[in-house]
Amino acid sequence: MHRLLCLFLAAAAASVSGLPRLDASPVGGPCIAPVQWEGRWVLYDHSTGRNGRAAVSYDGLNQRIRVLQQHKKHTPCQRFFEYIYLYQSMVMFQIDQKTKECSKMALTDAWDPFDIPDNSTFEDQYIIGGPGDNVEVQEWSDRKPARQHETWVGIYTLKDCYPVQETYARNSSVTTSTRFFNLQLGISDPNVFTPPSTCQAARPDRMAENAC
């Protein structure tokens, strides 16, 4: 699972609606999620009500993530950034997509992969969609008998263990949720994890999201 970035976030609740299976009981524990993929996500911050859409390259083998924010024509004052998270070096680069201005900041949270931890609790197995156009998923959480509420819920496809949605909560309130889509296995261009030359003179503070 991944407790990532209050930067981009997308709407969801603690489960995805679908048709429940009466025989849903996992065998052998959680599935193993892909360690390298590219795709898109939408992240939703429930405290601000903001959605963030981005293209994502995820490299779990080398503990790094690249996020390229999607431009929105109806937000003229919005600045759009590329983010490169290098957890083995514990640094994050924020690059202005237009000016290439760069900020370099230390990461404070440990690497938290997009996967289902072995000690997760199975919640449900169901179908998203309908007849002839559906996908079967499993829902897992970090709920434990001694704790009433879960703080993480992850939904992954049953067949290939692709992430579909992850939701985090704190103090019984949902904080962030992420939806994943259009995923493809592998990294087409490993150079996306290399900061541009402008980052050699990077500023130490985070750049503002609005230009006006």
Side-chain angles (χ1 to χ4, degrees):
M1 61 180 170
H2 200 291
R3 193 168 284 102
L4 181 69
L5 336 177
C6 300
L7 304 172
F8 331 89
L9 304 162
S15 63
V16 170
S17 62
L19 303 177
R21 284 168 51 106
L22 299 178
D23 60 340
S25 56
V27 177
C31 59
I32 299 175
V35 294
Q36 289 184 324
W37 50 260
E38 294 178 322
R40 297 174 61 194
W41 72 23
V42 180
L43 291 95
Y44 180 72
D45 186 336
H46 292 253
S47 64
T48 64
R50 289 185 177 182
N51 285 291
R53 299 176 181 271
V56 181
S57 297
Y58 171 75
D59 182 6
L61 289 176
N62 298 292
Q63 298 184 359
R64 54 190 185 175
I65 301 173
R66 184 254 197 165
V67 178
L68 186 66
Q69 287 184 303
Q70 178 180 328
H71 288 254
K72 299 178 182 178
K73 294 181 179 179
H74 60 278
T75 52
C77 290
Q78 184 74 31
R79 299 173 69 184
F80 294 92
F81 297 99
E82 174 185 3
Y83 295 88
I84 300 175
Y85 298 83
L86 305 176
Y87 280 86
Q88 291 184 348
S89 301
M90 291 304 291
V91 295
M92 183 268 280
F93 294 91
Q94 178 194 27
I95 302 109
D96 188 305
Q97 292 185 28
K98 183 177 181 180
T99 67
K100 302 304 178 183
E101 184 180 3
C102 181
S103 291
K104 179 181 179 181
M105 292 158 283
L107 290 171
T108 56
D109 293 329
W111 169 251
D112 188 8
F114 289 115
D115 65 3
I116 308 171
D118 291 337
N119 61 350
S120 297
T121 298
F122 175 76
E123 297 290 353
D124 203 355
Q125 182 168 317
Y126 45 82
I127 301 294
I128 297 176
D133 187 11
N134 60 65
V135 60
E136 193 165 11
V137 299
Q138 286 188 345
E139 182 177 307
W140 297 78
S141 78
D142 64 352
R143 179 175 56 84
K144 298 294 183 289
R147 185 172 62 222
Q148 182 177 2
H149 300 289
E150 63 273 3
T151 62
W152 167 81
V153 175
I155 300 171
Y156 284 73
T157 62
L158 180 64
K159 181 177 181 292
D160 294 312
C161 209
Y162 287 112
V164 175
Q165 179 175 304
E166 287 199 347
T167 300
Y168 282 93
R170 181 180 299 168
N171 298 328
S172 302
S173 297
V174 173
T175 56
T176 61
S177 49
T178 310
R179 289 185 289 115
F180 305 84
F181 52 98
N182 293 350
L183 300 190
Q184 299 289 332
L185 286 178
I187 303 297
S188 59
D189 181 11
N191 291 324
V192 298
F193 300 105
T194 301
S197 59
T198 53
C199 289
Q200 294 179 4
R203 54 191 289 179
D205 57 319
R206 187 187 187 87
M207 288 179 277
E209 295 184 357
N210 293 321
C212 56

